[in-house]
């Protein structure tokens, strides 16, 4: 079982990354830092005659990497009660993958499992619930089983260490990922 | 009372824009097409010594334009059960505006009124509700009164004309905007 | 096409009933006032050997009445951001109907269509959304298509007449029910 | 610090009660089994001249008991994606308490802390989120701080022991309640 973490954070070593590290402690995995990739917003041409055009950026390479793994962990800070724009632009591009004839996106992604790690500052265990619901709808659309999520609370750098509940949940998820 | 529509769509003349046109029929307003602007993802430096650095893109000009108006209409297609990445990147940058000493973002935006127009293809009147809740939390955070929203249903280009309910709600909002 | 309105209100002629009247204007329908029925809370015996026992109250008669119709309209004031306890007790009893061998509850209800009318005082178009989501999950569980909902805003008796938006939506639903 | 658990379950020793026991292990507390009380649905007379009439049932005694404690734990099975009708009827009556001049309901309840324990069978960590949001709105309305919630998954009697995640969260909450 191989694991990839898709990081939606915009800065190095922030609270979300720290919580992800706790979750993955001692478990081999690949990290993809979306902030270091060039991923353009989707240009919706679904309904144009030619369909989507190839886009010159890093999306193809990243999505191929993602699809090589069995477990997808989406790790995002909660920005304005949603995922970061960086991660959203990445997911928006799935609409293109769904129509890409070079690979069977829908067939492949349905064989994986998804987890979400989200860290926010403003009552995240309540106010990040719409974000969790959106992930659920999104994963359902591509038949990707949503296996669980962890919500952490942190604002200033390093704050996450004070969230004992998130720490305990990270431990739970660590166990689950070790013994799938 | 002056009105600005922030368009999050990625293509010209799509269903969301059509519904927005219906809402604004006969009412002067400014359109801002975010897809034609260069707006970079936020680089979160809130906690760095120097704070946020100036960013060389169109964000400053756009946010200044927005703040000149009294009514802000956020018009976005529902992509993967959320706003488009384009619009999300724009809103993410508000974190920077909140700390920008060149103008009083929080003071100014609290004097406006907000509306949302969202158009989706997959049961939007249910599955776009998390998006509406996110807008609510977002507007609450900056004390921007959320005056109402319209959800339309459409997938293929032009579909929106078949959504008689959305049309009727557009008429309602048109009346409201004419007689504030 | 025959229509039944299930009223969850606790008082006569309240705002929710007024909005329902507007929706049904000129359309034949049956009203069921749950407050005038004796419907006991469910006693969950799903897992007991004997299963559910017959209960001596009005539930059986009411659910039989409901199942005679094609369109089910659930009309409830928003109490504490949910449906009224009266209506909740009624729906809780569906668990019993699902196991009642005297009639095919699941088969029958899946052939109907459902609408919801909800009226609340505290920002209902935002704060009644969890209630709408619960109705959606509930209807999905029994494969009852959720055709639409109207949310009205009112606190004091008669307030609903000031909600021009709800009035317009009532008109929309009236048209839909006339021309199914 | 004294603790009361309000049980909304309809049967003895069910999964919700078991999870509540785990949370309270070794901690003194009072249990109130709402199913053993006679609590009538509210009859909304807010707007009548005489206001609410005294109701001959157990509500007054129960709410007085509740208000004697510092920590209120609402433990409910998830029935049809909401709290049970039994518990809902109890909360609906708060509208009456808000207008009861014999005691200062709003003043008293704002000094307490609330937790929620909810156990459901159908994807509760997703589909019970609207219920959590309703509790949040409800507690906010009376300024009762919502300190946390635990969602467990179980259908058949005893199932809850297989939910290792809920067990770990119960342990977390047990620690919190011991060291307030």
């Amino acid at each position: 079982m191989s694991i990839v973490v898709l990081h939606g954070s915009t800065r190095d070593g922030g609270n979300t990354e720290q919580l992800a590290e706790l979750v993955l402690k001692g478990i081999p995995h690949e990290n993809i830092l979306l902030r270091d990739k060039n991923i353009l917003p989707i240009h919706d041409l679904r309904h144009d005659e030619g369909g989507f055009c190839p886009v010159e950026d890093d999306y193809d390479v990243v999505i191929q990497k993602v699809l090589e793994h069995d477990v997808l962990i989406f790790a995002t800070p909660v920005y304005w009660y949603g995922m970061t724009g960086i991660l959203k632009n990445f997911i928006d591009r799935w609409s293109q993958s769904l129509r890409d004839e070079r690979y069977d996106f829908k067939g492949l992604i349905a064989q994986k499992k998804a987890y979400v790690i989200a860290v926010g500052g403003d009552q995240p265990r309540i106010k990040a619930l719409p974000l969790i619901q959106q992930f659920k709808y999104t994963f359902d659309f591509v038949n990707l089983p949503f296996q669980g999520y962890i919500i952490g609370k942190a604002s200033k750098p390093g704050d996450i260490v004070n969230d004992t509940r998130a720490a305990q949940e990270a431990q739970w998820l660590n166990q689950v990922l070790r013994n799938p």
Side-chain angles (χ1 to χ4, degrees), chain A:
Chain A
M1 199 195 59
S2 100
I3 300 173
V4 63
V5 187
L6 269 160
H7 292 276
S9 309
T10 64
R11 59 189 173 86
D12 276 317
N15 287 301
T16 311
E17 284 187 23
Q18 276 179 259
L19 185 56
E21 268 171 41
L22 216 58
V23 166
L24 275 311
K25 205 173 177 178
I27 302 175
H29 65 279
E30 180 173 0
N31 287 307
I32 297 179
L33 305 178
L34 289 173
R35 67 176 171 274
D36 291 347
K37 309 292 177 184
N38 177 30
I39 293 181
L40 297 175
I42 198 167
H43 184 196
D44 185 356
L45 295 168
R46 269 179 300 168
H47 312 292
D48 272 39
E49 223 173 291
F52 286 102
C53 313
V55 180
E56 297 220 356
D57 65 0
D58 299 330
Y59 177 75
D60 275 353
V61 172
V62 172
I63 196 70
Q64 291 296 348
K65 272 261 168 256
V66 168
L67 292 174
E68 286 167 11
H69 295 276
D70 306 307
V71 173
L72 320 182
I73 300 180
F74 298 81
T76 182
V78 181
Y79 279 6
W80 298 96
Y81 312 101
M83 65 183 75
T84 61
I86 292 177
L87 179 55
K88 189 56 173 45
N89 269 336
F90 175 74
I91 289 181
D92 284 357
R93 292 286 291 281
W94 290 9
S95 299
Q96 196 167 348
S97 288
L98 284 169
R99 287 162 192 83
D100 197 317
E101 295 175 355
R102 293 172 299 171
Y103 57 101
D104 176 19
F105 179 72
K106 210 159 176 173
L108 289 168
I109 205 164
Q111 296 165 28
K112 327 252 169 232
K113 290 173 177 180
Y115 291 90
V116 168
I117 298 170
V119 178
D122 180 20
Q123 303 185 57
R125 284 189 183 90
I126 294 296
K127 297 190 180 175
L129 298 186
L131 171 59
I132 298 300
Q133 293 172 318
Q134 287 171 329
F135 272 118
K136 170 66 175 164
Y137 287 140
T138 294
F139 297 156
D140 276 357
F141 192 85
V142 294
N143 295 311
L144 169 60
F146 189 5
Q147 299 291 101
Y149 58 87
I150 290 180
I151 298 173
K153 179 167 166 43
S155 297
K156 292 188 199 142
D159 259 9
I160 194 69
V161 299
N162 301 318
D163 187 344
T164 55
R165 175 164 192 180
Q168 206 146 358
E169 297 188 40
Q171 218 176 344
W172 160 80
L173 187 46
N174 185 279
Q175 290 301 320
V176 170
L177 294 173
R178 274 169 198 275
N179 314 290

PDB file of all heavy atoms in Angstrom, chain A residues 133-152:
ATOM      1  N   GLN A 133     -17.884  18.342   3.776  1.00  0.00           N
ATOM      2  CA  GLN A 133     -19.009  17.920   2.931  1.00  0.00           C
ATOM      3  C   GLN A 133     -18.675  18.046   1.450  1.00  0.00           C
ATOM      4  O   GLN A 133     -19.066  17.211   0.633  1.00  0.00           O
ATOM      5  CB  GLN A 133     -20.260  18.746   3.285  1.00  0.00           C
ATOM      6  CG  GLN A 133     -20.783  18.433   4.695  1.00  0.00           C
ATOM      7  CD  GLN A 133     -21.904  19.354   5.152  1.00  0.00           C
ATOM      8  OE1 GLN A 133     -21.847  20.568   4.924  1.00  0.00           O
ATOM      9  NE2 GLN A 133     -22.912  18.794   5.807  1.00  0.00           N
ATOM     10  N   GLN A 134     -17.945  19.103   1.093  1.00  0.00           N
ATOM     11  CA  GLN A 134     -17.527  19.264  -0.309  1.00  0.00           C
ATOM     12  C   GLN A 134     -16.584  18.144  -0.738  1.00  0.00           C
ATOM     13  O   GLN A 134     -16.698  17.623  -1.852  1.00  0.00           O
ATOM     14  CB  GLN A 134     -16.841  20.610  -0.508  1.00  0.00           C
ATOM     15  CG  GLN A 134     -17.813  21.776  -0.473  1.00  0.00           C
ATOM     16  CD  GLN A 134     -17.109  23.116  -0.450  1.00  0.00           C
ATOM     17  OE1 GLN A 134     -16.003  23.234   0.086  1.00  0.00           O
ATOM     18  NE2 GLN A 134     -17.743  24.134  -1.009  1.00  0.00           N
ATOM     19  N   PHE A 135     -15.628  17.806   0.120  1.00  0.00           N
ATOM     20  CA  PHE A 135     -14.744  16.682  -0.203  1.00  0.00           C
ATOM     21  C   PHE A 135     -15.584  15.417  -0.412  1.00  0.00           C
ATOM     22  O   PHE A 135     -15.352  14.655  -1.343  1.00  0.00           O
ATOM     23  CB  PHE A 135     -13.722  16.458   0.921  1.00  0.00           C
ATOM     24  CG  PHE A 135     -12.456  17.266   0.786  1.00  0.00           C
ATOM     25  CD1 PHE A 135     -12.089  18.206   1.741  1.00  0.00           C
ATOM     26  CD2 PHE A 135     -11.601  17.063  -0.300  1.00  0.00           C
ATOM     27  CE1 PHE A 135     -10.911  18.941   1.622  1.00  0.00           C
ATOM     28  CE2 PHE A 135     -10.419  17.790  -0.415  1.00  0.00           C
ATOM     29  CZ  PHE A 135     -10.075  18.737   0.543  1.00  0.00           C
ATOM     30  N   LYS A 136     -16.565  15.208   0.452  1.00  0.00           N
ATOM     31  CA  LYS A 136     -17.419  14.016   0.328  1.00  0.00           C
ATOM     32  C   LYS A 136     -18.111  13.975  -1.041  1.00  0.00           C
ATOM     33  O   LYS A 136     -18.087  12.961  -1.738  1.00  0.00           O
ATOM     34  CB  LYS A 136     -18.443  14.021   1.461  1.00  0.00           C
ATOM     35  CG  LYS A 136     -19.547  12.987   1.347  1.00  0.00           C
ATOM     36  CD  LYS A 136     -19.045  11.548   1.471  1.00  0.00           C
ATOM     37  CE  LYS A 136     -20.200  10.556   1.485  1.00  0.00           C
ATOM     38  NZ  LYS A 136     -19.726   9.183   1.229  1.00  0.00           N
ATOM     39  N   TYR A 137     -18.743  15.093  -1.424  1.00  0.00           N
ATOM     40  CA  TYR A 137     -19.420  15.144  -2.725  1.00  0.00           C
ATOM     41  C   TYR A 137     -18.418  14.900  -3.856  1.00  0.00           C
ATOM     42  O   TYR A 137     -18.709  14.219  -4.836  1.00  0.00           O
ATOM     43  CB  TYR A 137     -20.092  16.501  -2.933  1.00  0.00           C
ATOM     44  CG  TYR A 137     -21.344  16.739  -2.115  1.00  0.00           C
ATOM     45  CD1 TYR A 137     -21.590  17.983  -1.527  1.00  0.00           C
ATOM     46  CD2 TYR A 137     -22.302  15.751  -1.944  1.00  0.00           C
ATOM     47  CE1 TYR A 137     -22.748  18.225  -0.798  1.00  0.00           C
ATOM     48  CE2 TYR A 137     -23.460  15.981  -1.212  1.00  0.00           C
ATOM     49  CZ  TYR A 137     -23.678  17.225  -0.639  1.00  0.00           C
ATOM     50  OH  TYR A 137     -24.821  17.459   0.076  1.00  0.00           O
ATOM     51  N   THR A 138     -17.244  15.497  -3.729  1.00  0.00           N
ATOM     52  CA  THR A 138     -16.208  15.382  -4.759  1.00  0.00           C
ATOM     53  C   THR A 138     -15.748  13.937  -4.897  1.00  0.00           C
ATOM     54  O   THR A 138     -15.678  13.390  -6.008  1.00  0.00           O
ATOM     55  CB  THR A 138     -15.018  16.301  -4.404  1.00  0.00           C
ATOM     56  OG1 THR A 138     -15.463  17.657  -4.469  1.00  0.00           O
ATOM     57  CG2 THR A 138     -13.844  16.106  -5.364  1.00  0.00           C
ATOM     58  N   PHE A 139     -15.441  13.305  -3.774  1.00  0.00           N
ATOM     59  CA  PHE A 139     -14.971  11.916  -3.822  1.00  0.00           C
ATOM     60  C   PHE A 139     -16.095  10.998  -4.329  1.00  0.00           C
ATOM     61  O   PHE A 139     -15.844  10.084  -5.117  1.00  0.00           O
ATOM     62  CB  PHE A 139     -14.494  11.471  -2.437  1.00  0.00           C
ATOM     63  CG  PHE A 139     -13.316  12.257  -1.910  1.00  0.00           C
ATOM     64  CD1 PHE A 139     -13.065  12.349  -0.534  1.00  0.00           C
ATOM     65  CD2 PHE A 139     -12.440  12.917  -2.765  1.00  0.00           C
ATOM     66  CE1 PHE A 139     -11.987  13.066  -0.041  1.00  0.00           C
ATOM     67  CE2 PHE A 139     -11.352  13.645  -2.274  1.00  0.00           C
ATOM     68  CZ  PHE A 139     -11.132  13.720  -0.916  1.00  0.00           C
ATOM     69  N   ASP A 140     -17.319  11.243  -3.881  1.00  0.00           N
ATOM     70  CA  ASP A 140     -18.450  10.444  -4.366  1.00  0.00           C
ATOM     71  C   ASP A 140     -18.566  10.519  -5.885  1.00  0.00           C
ATOM     72  O   ASP A 140     -18.864   9.534  -6.547  1.00  0.00           O
ATOM     73  CB  ASP A 140     -19.772  10.943  -3.754  1.00  0.00           C
ATOM     74  CG  ASP A 140     -20.022  10.351  -2.366  1.00  0.00           C
ATOM     75  OD1 ASP A 140     -19.210   9.514  -1.912  1.00  0.00           O
ATOM     76  OD2 ASP A 140     -21.026  10.723  -1.734  1.00  0.00           O
ATOM     77  N   PHE A 141     -18.343  11.708  -6.428  1.00  0.00           N
ATOM     78  CA  PHE A 141     -18.502  11.897  -7.869  1.00  0.00           C
ATOM     79  C   PHE A 141     -17.575  10.980  -8.664  1.00  0.00           C
ATOM     80  O   PHE A 141     -17.914  10.524  -9.747  1.00  0.00           O
ATOM     81  CB  PHE A 141     -18.245  13.359  -8.247  1.00  0.00           C
ATOM     82  CG  PHE A 141     -18.673  13.695  -9.644  1.00  0.00           C
ATOM     83  CD1 PHE A 141     -19.980  14.052  -9.919  1.00  0.00           C
ATOM     84  CD2 PHE A 141     -17.771  13.634 -10.706  1.00  0.00           C
ATOM     85  CE1 PHE A 141     -20.386  14.349 -11.217  1.00  0.00           C
ATOM     86  CE2 PHE A 141     -18.164  13.928 -12.002  1.00  0.00           C
ATOM     87  CZ  PHE A 141     -19.470  14.285 -12.260  1.00  0.00           C
ATOM     88  N   VAL A 142     -16.386  10.735  -8.123  1.00  0.00           N
ATOM     89  CA  VAL A 142     -15.433   9.868  -8.824  1.00  0.00           C
ATOM     90  C   VAL A 142     -15.307   8.505  -8.141  1.00  0.00           C
ATOM     91  O   VAL A 142     -14.353   7.759  -8.387  1.00  0.00           O
ATOM     92  CB  VAL A 142     -14.041  10.539  -8.960  1.00  0.00           C
ATOM     93  CG1 VAL A 142     -14.147  11.759  -9.869  1.00  0.00           C
ATOM     94  CG2 VAL A 142     -13.474  10.935  -7.599  1.00  0.00           C
ATOM     95  N   ASN A 143     -16.280   8.197  -7.272  1.00  0.00           N
ATOM     96  CA  ASN A 143     -16.308   6.891  -6.589  1.00  0.00           C
ATOM     97  C   ASN A 143     -15.038   6.571  -5.813  1.00  0.00           C
ATOM     98  O   ASN A 143     -14.586   5.433  -5.765  1.00  0.00           O
ATOM     99  CB  ASN A 143     -16.579   5.773  -7.599  1.00  0.00           C
ATOM    100  CG  ASN A 143     -17.947   5.904  -8.211  1.00  0.00           C
ATOM    101  OD1 ASN A 143     -18.929   6.071  -7.497  1.00  0.00           O
ATOM    102  ND2 ASN A 143     -18.023   5.859  -9.538  1.00  0.00           N
ATOM    103  N   LEU A 144     -14.477   7.597  -5.235  1.00  0.00           N
ATOM    104  CA  LEU A 144     -13.280   7.457  -4.401  1.00  0.00           C
ATOM    105  C   LEU A 144     -13.732   7.373  -2.941  1.00  0.00           C
ATOM    106  O   LEU A 144     -14.281   8.338  -2.411  1.00  0.00           O
ATOM    107  CB  LEU A 144     -12.391   8.693  -4.629  1.00  0.00           C
ATOM    108  CG  LEU A 144     -11.208   8.948  -3.703  1.00  0.00           C
ATOM    109  CD1 LEU A 144     -10.210   7.792  -3.738  1.00  0.00           C
ATOM    110  CD2 LEU A 144     -10.494  10.252  -4.111  1.00  0.00           C
ATOM    111  N   PRO A 145     -13.538   6.225  -2.292  1.00  0.00           N
ATOM    112  CA  PRO A 145     -14.022   6.094  -0.913  1.00  0.00           C
ATOM    113  C   PRO A 145     -13.342   7.084   0.044  1.00  0.00           C
ATOM    114  O   PRO A 145     -12.115   7.195   0.054  1.00  0.00           O
ATOM    115  CB  PRO A 145     -13.647   4.650  -0.539  1.00  0.00           C
ATOM    116  CG  PRO A 145     -13.449   3.938  -1.832  1.00  0.00           C
ATOM    117  CD  PRO A 145     -12.931   4.983  -2.791  1.00  0.00           C
ATOM    118  N   PHE A 146     -14.164   7.789   0.794  1.00  0.00           N
ATOM    119  CA  PHE A 146     -13.687   8.788   1.757  1.00  0.00           C
ATOM    120  C   PHE A 146     -13.576   8.081   3.111  1.00  0.00           C
ATOM    121  O   PHE A 146     -14.560   7.847   3.795  1.00  0.00           O
ATOM    122  CB  PHE A 146     -14.695   9.928   1.822  1.00  0.00           C
ATOM    123  CG  PHE A 146     -14.254  11.148   2.609  1.00  0.00           C
ATOM    124  CD1 PHE A 146     -12.981  11.255   3.128  1.00  0.00           C
ATOM    125  CD2 PHE A 146     -15.139  12.213   2.809  1.00  0.00           C
ATOM    126  CE1 PHE A 146     -12.589  12.391   3.834  1.00  0.00           C
ATOM    127  CE2 PHE A 146     -14.758  13.351   3.517  1.00  0.00           C
ATOM    128  CZ  PHE A 146     -13.484  13.432   4.032  1.00  0.00           C
ATOM    129  N   GLN A 147     -12.362   7.770   3.489  1.00  0.00           N
ATOM    130  CA  GLN A 147     -12.146   6.896   4.649  1.00  0.00           C
ATOM    131  C   GLN A 147     -12.094   7.630   5.982  1.00  0.00           C
ATOM    132  O   GLN A 147     -12.183   6.997   7.031  1.00  0.00           O
ATOM    133  CB  GLN A 147     -10.827   6.131   4.474  1.00  0.00           C
ATOM    134  CG  GLN A 147     -10.786   5.237   3.257  1.00  0.00           C
ATOM    135  CD  GLN A 147     -11.708   4.043   3.358  1.00  0.00           C
ATOM    136  OE1 GLN A 147     -12.791   4.045   2.774  1.00  0.00           O
ATOM    137  NE2 GLN A 147     -11.307   3.051   4.120  1.00  0.00           N
ATOM    138  N   GLY A 148     -11.894   8.932   5.940  1.00  0.00           N
ATOM    139  CA  GLY A 148     -11.840   9.634   7.215  1.00  0.00           C
ATOM    140  C   GLY A 148     -11.185  10.988   7.089  1.00  0.00           C
ATOM    141  O   GLY A 148     -10.572  11.303   6.068  1.00  0.00           O
ATOM    142  N   TYR A 149     -11.367  11.785   8.116  1.00  0.00           N
ATOM    143  CA  TYR A 149     -10.757  13.119   8.111  1.00  0.00           C
ATOM    144  C   TYR A 149     -10.354  13.510   9.526  1.00  0.00           C
ATOM    145  O   TYR A 149     -10.893  12.993  10.504  1.00  0.00           O
ATOM    146  CB  TYR A 149     -11.733  14.169   7.543  1.00  0.00           C
ATOM    147  CG  TYR A 149     -13.043  14.277   8.290  1.00  0.00           C
ATOM    148  CD1 TYR A 149     -13.173  15.114   9.391  1.00  0.00           C
ATOM    149  CD2 TYR A 149     -14.155  13.535   7.904  1.00  0.00           C
ATOM    150  CE1 TYR A 149     -14.374  15.210  10.079  1.00  0.00           C
ATOM    151  CE2 TYR A 149     -15.353  13.609   8.587  1.00  0.00           C
ATOM    152  CZ  TYR A 149     -15.460  14.449   9.675  1.00  0.00           C
ATOM    153  OH  TYR A 149     -16.645  14.534  10.356  1.00  0.00           O
ATOM    154  N   ILE A 150      -9.392  14.385   9.577  1.00  0.00           N
ATOM    155  CA  ILE A 150      -8.955  14.949  10.853  1.00  0.00           C
ATOM    156  C   ILE A 150      -8.979  16.456  10.726  1.00  0.00           C
ATOM    157  O   ILE A 150      -8.459  17.007   9.757  1.00  0.00           O
ATOM    158  CB  ILE A 150      -7.522  14.490  11.194  1.00  0.00           C
ATOM    159  CG1 ILE A 150      -7.514  13.006  11.527  1.00  0.00           C
ATOM    160  CG2 ILE A 150      -6.974  15.289  12.366  1.00  0.00           C
ATOM    161  CD1 ILE A 150      -6.127  12.499  11.880  1.00  0.00           C
ATOM    162  N   ILE A 151      -9.586  17.108  11.700  1.00  0.00           N
ATOM    163  CA  ILE A 151      -9.609  18.567  11.717  1.00  0.00           C
ATOM    164  C   ILE A 151      -8.781  19.051  12.897  1.00  0.00           C
ATOM    165  O   ILE A 151      -8.999  18.617  14.031  1.00  0.00           O
ATOM    166  CB  ILE A 151     -11.056  19.094  11.842  1.00  0.00           C
ATOM    167  CG1 ILE A 151     -11.887  18.657  10.629  1.00  0.00           C
ATOM    168  CG2 ILE A 151     -11.071  20.610  11.990  1.00  0.00           C
ATOM    169  CD1 ILE A 151     -13.370  18.993  10.742  1.00  0.00           C
ATOM    170  N   GLY A 152      -7.809  19.899  12.613  1.00  0.00           N
ATOM    171  CA  GLY A 152      -6.988  20.456  13.683  1.00  0.00           C
ATOM    172  C   GLY A 152      -7.243  21.939  13.850  1.00  0.00           C
ATOM    173  O   GLY A 152      -7.740  22.596  12.938  1.00  0.00           O
TER     174      GLY A 152
END
